[in-house]
């Protein structure tokens, strides 16, 4: 509908509801003469009078009375459709799916709560993503963004908010000699197979989570490769090897047949929020902003 036509309809609706040209003009922020001009143009377009105006009163003609409810409903529907589209474009409505690896920690849950309070008409869903496929769900648009383990060196992905780094532990069978140790040195990883990650993830990412050599260059025996966290923990319990994890994620997956031993000399574990460069949205940007604003004192690391 052309701009002129829309203003004509707005002028008629304002006059029909106010029954006063002055109030209708004030409502639309135009002059009374402009209201008269717009109404006259609409009547000429239709071919009949819609409003009767005398020095004492303004009233609708029978045709005007018949047109008003239909036109009002159509106009309100048009405005609602435009408002809904604007709200969606601004991230105020719709669904936001956030992926995570390991477990949803306190920082993430607090960010979800804060996001819901700020954007109550957006449904935020948390989705656990496979341990061995950190980037796939975002690329396939199964999630709008995801909190994944670093490093991230993917040109098609944006790395946004980083969570604080956390120390790592070695998860071992409860019966293994390492389970009786208070700490381990990174060089001692060469003495026990380390469970690896299936080939879905890039080589550099798998090497960071399950290194093939100790920091001093000693080779680490390879254990089985797994795709999910549950597979990894089960492989540890079965005595197939050890698993490097952030302490909090290890605690989340605690079971009586495995133990956790701090490892000194390995890089900390850290999560970052990623999203596809060509599918960025206001909802994702707002979630990243809210996630960054969660106070550190409320944190417990995910990985």
């Amino acid at each position: 509908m052309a701009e002129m036509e829309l203003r004509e309809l707005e002028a008629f609706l304002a006059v029909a509801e106010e029954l006063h040209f002055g109030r209708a003009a004030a409502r639309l922020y135009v002059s009374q003469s402009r209201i008269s001009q717009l109404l006259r143009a609409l009547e000429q377009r239709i071919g009949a009078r819609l409003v009767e105006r005398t020095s004492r009163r303004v009233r609708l003609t029978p045709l005007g009375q018949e047109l008003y409810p239909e036109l009002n409903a159509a106009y309100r529907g048009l405005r609602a459709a435009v408002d809904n589209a604007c709200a969606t474009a601004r991230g105020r409505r719709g669904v936001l799916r956030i992926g995570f690896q390991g477990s949803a920690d306190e920082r993430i849950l607090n960010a979800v709560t804060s996001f819901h309070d700020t954007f109550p008409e957006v449904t935020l869903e948390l989705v656990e993503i496979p341990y061995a496929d950190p980037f796939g769900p975002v690329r396939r648009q199964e999630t709008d963004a995801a909190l994944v383990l670093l490093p991230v060196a993917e040109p098609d992905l944006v790395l946004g908010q980083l969570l604080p780094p956390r120390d790592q532990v070695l998860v071992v069978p409860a019966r293994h000699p390492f389970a009786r140790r208070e700490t381990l040195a990174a060089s001692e990883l060469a003495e026990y197979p380390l469970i690896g990650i299936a080939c879905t993830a890039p080589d550099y990412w798998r090497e960071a989570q399950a290194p093939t050599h100790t920091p001093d260059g000693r080779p680490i025996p390879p254990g089985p490769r797994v795709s999910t966290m549950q597979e990894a923990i089960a492989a540890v319990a079965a005595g197939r090897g050890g698993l490097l994890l952030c302490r909090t994620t290890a605690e989340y997956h605690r079971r009586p047949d495995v133990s956790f031993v701090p490892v000194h000399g390995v890089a900390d574990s850290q999560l970052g929020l990623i999203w596809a460069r060509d599918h960025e949205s206001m909802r994702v940007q707002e979630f990243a902003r809210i996630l960054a604003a969660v106070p550190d004192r409320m944190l417990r690391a995910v990985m």
Side-chain angles (χ1 to χ4, degrees):
M1 186 176 294
E3 180 181 358
M4 189 61 178
E5 293 174 327
L6 182 59
R7 294 301 284 174
E8 291 170 6
L9 300 181
E10 290 175 335
F12 169 70
L13 291 173
V15 170
E17 292 167 3
E18 299 292 344
L19 294 179
H20 191 283
F21 274 64
R23 290 194 296 269
R27 176 166 150 181
L28 297 183
Y29 302 101
V30 297
S31 65
Q32 291 190 46
S33 62
R34 180 61 174 156
I35 289 290
S36 298
Q37 181 185 23
L38 290 168
L39 188 56
R40 199 161 45 243
L42 179 61
E43 289 176 334
Q44 291 175 354
R45 192 182 303 280
I46 292 175
R49 294 286 302 277
L50 300 174
V51 176
E52 292 180 349
R53 181 185 186 186
T54 68
S55 58
R56 293 186 177 182
R57 61 185 297 183
V58 175
R59 67 179 181 181
L60 298 181
T61 66
L63 180 59
Q65 293 175 2
E66 181 180 340
L67 175 63
Y68 170 72
E70 295 182 7
L71 182 58
N72 183 55
Y75 179 78
R76 303 302 175 195
L78 176 64
R79 287 297 300 270
V82 172
D83 289 344
N84 286 339
C86 290
T88 300
R90 294 182 181 125
R92 298 181 183 278
R93 289 203 181 104
V95 178
L96 178 65
R97 292 170 61 83
I98 301 295
F100 67 93
Q101 288 187 298
S103 62
D105 76 342
E106 187 174 357
R107 177 173 191 152
I108 296 173
L109 296 179
N110 281 320
V112 169
T113 299
S114 180
F115 185 91
H116 176 73
D117 292 342
T118 306
F119 302 101
E121 293 185 321
V122 176
T123 301
L124 195 155
E125 300 176 353
L126 287 176
V127 181
E128 185 175 4
I129 61 178
Y131 182 43
D133 190 19
F135 310 136
V138 169
R139 285 180 169 140
R140 295 188 296 270
Q141 299 182 44
E142 296 168 1
T143 64
D144 299 289
L147 283 153
V148 301
L149 284 162
L150 302 186
V152 176
E154 306 297 304
D156 61 324
L157 302 179
V158 177
L159 176 60
Q161 176 63 27
L162 303 181
L163 300 193
R166 299 295 173 178
D167 62 310
Q168 297 200 77
V169 299
L170 183 67
V171 186
V172 296
R175 61 185 180 276
H176 192 274
F178 280 170
R180 296 189 290 273
R181 299 276 298 277
E182 292 186 3
T183 62
L184 291 172
S187 60
E188 294 180 276
L189 293 175
E191 301 176 16
Y192 192 56
L194 196 61
I195 292 171
I197 301 171
C199 294
T200 309
D203 290 345
Y204 74 88
W205 190 89
R206 290 187 288 117
E207 175 66 24
Q209 317 313 324
T212 56
H213 291 79
T214 64
D216 60 359
R218 299 174 64 190
I220 299 175
R225 290 186 174 183
V226 299
S227 297
T228 69
M229 187 62 65
Q230 290 300 323
E231 288 179 7
I233 299 295
V236 172
R240 303 288 304 282
L243 177 68
L244 278 175
L245 281 182
C246 166
R247 182 190 301 274
T248 303
T249 296
E251 290 288 351
Y252 181 81
H253 292 281
R254 179 177 287 279
R255 46 191 282 179
D257 49 1
V258 300
S259 297
F260 316 134
V261 189
V263 182
H264 297 297
V266 296
D268 289 338
S269 176
Q270 190 171 19
L271 288 170
L273 183 67
I274 63 167
W275 59 86
R277 194 173 298 278
D278 58 354
H279 286 94
E280 188 168 350
S281 70
M282 288 295 295
R283 287 191 289 269
V284 169
Q285 292 178 348
E286 288 296 334
F287 180 79
R289 178 186 63 79
I290 289 172
L291 182 66
V294 176
D296 285 349
R297 66 178 180 273
M298 302 172 74
L299 304 187
R300 293 176 189 162
V302 177
M303 296 295 286

